[in-house]
């Protein structure tokens, strides 16, 4: 595998899950595979889970790991071609990328959506430039429109906890004070659409996602109806996708906070969230602390999804 930015890059989902569960049974079975290989992790944005889980996954495979926080200690990078660089950015991404590529065997990149220019975000300009100019395999550690390592971990978690073959998955918008990208819900939808699970998305009007990600999901604006019979509730905030409101917060209506009353409508559903989560905005203390909350095993599975992806890349070098 030479790149990993979307669900299609992983190919057959059952095979990918089999590989993930093999790793989970013995995560140190391939410690020789990454010997003398180096992973460079580049962060344009903050991270806790992605940083730790991806680094741990690479170490499990015997790799060396370098981490660069672009906004802390590196030169500020210009990303646009044609700009007269007389401002505060002394280095261009087009030199920085091949230089970074010369020091490693693969690159993980985290670069969020700017939420100002939809076309720029949905063209995935930053990670696409890494793919084009680094000369090395590149994987996403969350890009502008997708977070595939998260979605892969989410799917591993659902497979572990499900008690019926085709569970009902409900992805629900929930309020948040700041404008967040659509990457996590887009990606979750993309990966769930690769399964045969029942899949419902619920959100207030105005928060419609890009139809290419919604796919076969049922969109249900009546939140209570959506929650009925759910086996898994996947909560997430996202900003508006549709024009003219791209990137805007249209509502912080706390009637959409996931609470005990809404969870009572479900089939004793498990609660999921990618974290970090704003308590009592997205979800109440009671729900996230309940025995049906699986946010911690979900986060722990980030190590497994990262290891499955890095292993595939190592095998292709
Ligand atoms: N879920 C997730 O990607 O967490 P971080 O932003 O902390 O990496």
């Amino acid at each position: 595998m030479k790149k990993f930015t979307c669900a299609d890059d992983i190919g057959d989902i059952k095979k990918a899950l089999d590989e993930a569960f093999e790793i989970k049974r013995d995560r140190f079975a391939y410690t020789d595979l990454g010997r003398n290989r180096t992973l460079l992790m580049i962060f344009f944005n903050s991270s806790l889970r992605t940083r730790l889980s991806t680094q741990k996954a690479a170490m499990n495979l015997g790799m060396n790991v370098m981490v660069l926080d672009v906004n802390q200690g590196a030169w500020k990078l210009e990303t646009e071609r044609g700009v007269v660089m007389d401002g505060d950015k002394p280095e261009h991404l087009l030199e920085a990328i091949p230089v970074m590529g010369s020091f490693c065997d693969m690159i993980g990149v985290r670069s969020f959506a700017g939420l100002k220019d939809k076309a720029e975000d949905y063209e995935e300009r930053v990670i696409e430039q890494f793919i084009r100019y680094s000369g090395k395999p590149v994987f996403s550690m969350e890009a502008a429109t997708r977070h595939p390592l998260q979605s892969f971990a989410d799917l591993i978690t659902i497979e572990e906890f499900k008690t019926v073959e085709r569970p009902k998955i409900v992805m629900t918008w929930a309020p948040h004070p700041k404008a967040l990208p659509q990457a996590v819900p887009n990606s979750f939808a993309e990966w769930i659409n690769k399964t045969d699970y029942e899949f419902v998305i619920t959100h207030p009007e105005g928060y419609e996602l890009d139809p290419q990600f919604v796919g076969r999901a049922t969109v249900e604006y009546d939140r209570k109806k959506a929650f009925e019979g759910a086996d898994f509730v996947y909560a997430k905030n996202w900003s508006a996708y549709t024009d003219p409101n791209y990137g805007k917060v249209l509502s912080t209506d706390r009637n959409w906070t996931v609470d005990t009353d809404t969870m009572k409508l479900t089939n004793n559903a498990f609660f999921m969230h990618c974290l970090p989560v704003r308590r009592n905005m997205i979800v109440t203390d009671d729900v996230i602390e309940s025995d049906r909350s699986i946010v911690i095993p979900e986060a722990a599975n980030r190590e497994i999804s990262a290891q499955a992806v890095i292993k595939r890349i190592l095998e292709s070098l």
Side-chain angles (χ1 to χ4, degrees):
M1 191 163 63
K2 294 292 186 193
K3 79 167 183 79
F4 176 74
T5 62
C6 63
D8 280 348
D9 289 334
I10 204 75
D12 182 78
I13 203 70
K14 189 174 175 325
K15 185 169 178 288
L17 285 166
D18 287 346
E19 289 169 20
F21 287 120
E22 188 210 351
I23 287 166
K24 194 151 187 180
R25 281 190 294 276
D26 180 4
R27 61 195 78 194
F28 302 110
Y30 296 94
T31 46
D32 286 338
L33 191 61
R35 189 196 303 273
N36 296 332
R37 297 289 190 183
T38 299
L39 164 65
L40 173 58
M41 297 163 62
I42 299 168
F43 289 93
F44 288 84
N45 307 94
S46 303
S47 166
L48 187 155
R49 279 143 292 274
T50 304
R51 181 182 297 259
L52 296 179
S53 61
T54 310
Q55 188 160 354
K56 177 66 164 49
M59 292 190 309
N60 293 348
L61 291 162
M63 296 185 80
N64 303 312
V65 183
M66 298 191 296
V67 182
L68 181 67
D69 288 291
V70 171
N71 297 320
Q72 290 170 21
W75 301 111
K76 267 192 164 180
L77 295 175
E78 177 57 60
T79 55
E80 293 303 311
R81 207 165 159 275
V83 169
V84 177
M85 288 174 58
D86 59 356
D88 65 343
K89 294 175 180 167
E91 179 150 25
H92 202 286
L93 202 58
L94 292 179
E95 283 79 55
I97 290 174
V99 169
M100 294 180 204
S102 68
F103 297 129
C104 63
D105 297 288
M106 68 179 76
I107 304 179
V109 180
R110 165 163 284 202
S111 175
F112 290 172
L115 295 179
K116 290 189 173 64
D117 181 334
K118 181 154 98 176
E120 184 177 318
D121 289 343
Y122 276 69
E123 281 167 23
E124 291 284 9
R125 278 195 201 163
V126 173
I127 198 160
E128 285 300 326
Q129 291 194 81
F130 273 91
I131 291 167
R132 194 161 167 196
Y133 297 114
S134 70
K136 295 292 155 65
V138 171
F139 64 92
S140 169
M141 299 195 301
E142 185 170 346
T145 63
R146 293 175 172 92
H147 193 359
L149 285 176
Q150 179 65 53
S151 311
F152 189 8
D154 295 335
L155 201 47
I156 293 166
T157 311
I158 291 171
E159 281 294 305
E160 284 180 322
F161 282 86
K162 75 178 190 184
T163 54
V164 291
E165 196 51 36
R166 290 186 63 242
K168 177 177 175 181
I169 316 290
V170 177
M171 180 168 78
T172 178
W173 179 93
H176 192 284
K178 295 191 172 169
L180 298 187
Q182 298 100 36
V184 169
N186 282 348
S187 204
F188 184 73
E190 186 176 59
W191 284 69
I192 296 301
N193 276 322
K194 281 178 82 84
T195 72
D196 63 354
Y197 304 158
E198 186 181 349
F199 185 32
V200 177
I201 302 175
T202 184
H203 54 72
E205 290 196 27
Y207 279 101
E208 291 76 14
L209 292 165
D210 183 343
Q212 72 161 311
F213 294 106
V214 173
R216 65 172 179 86
T218 302
V219 176
E220 175 56 70
Y221 293 102
D222 182 337
R223 181 170 174 264
K224 287 187 175 168
K225 202 168 155 198
F227 272 60
E228 278 169 15
D231 297 298
F232 291 85
V233 169
Y234 191 93
K236 186 69 184 85
N237 173 267
W238 61 89
S239 59
Y241 166 76
T242 47
D243 295 324
N245 293 319
Y246 178 71
K248 291 191 180 142
V249 174
L250 306 179
S251 165
T252 53
D253 181 359
R254 285 176 55 203
N255 286 319
W256 282 79
T257 301
V258 179
D259 60 11
T260 305
D261 282 345
T262 21
M263 290 300 281
K264 277 184 187 153
L265 299 168
T266 70
N267 182 28
N268 197 20
F270 290 107
F271 175 80
M272 299 180 73
H273 188 280
C274 63
L275 306 182
V277 69
R278 293 207 180 220
R279 282 181 176 221
N280 304 308
M281 287 292 296
I282 301 277
V283 58
T284 60
D285 293 320
D286 288 347
V287 171
I288 198 164
E289 291 171 6
S290 76
D291 61 3
R292 303 306 282 176
S293 169
I294 53 172
V295 296
I296 305 302
E298 179 185 0
N301 276 333
R302 292 291 307 276
E303 179 182 340
I304 305 304
S305 64
Q307 193 167 332
V309 166
I310 295 170
K311 177 172 170 283
R312 281 231 195 145
I313 294 173
L314 283 169
E315 286 165 347
S316 75
L317 292 177

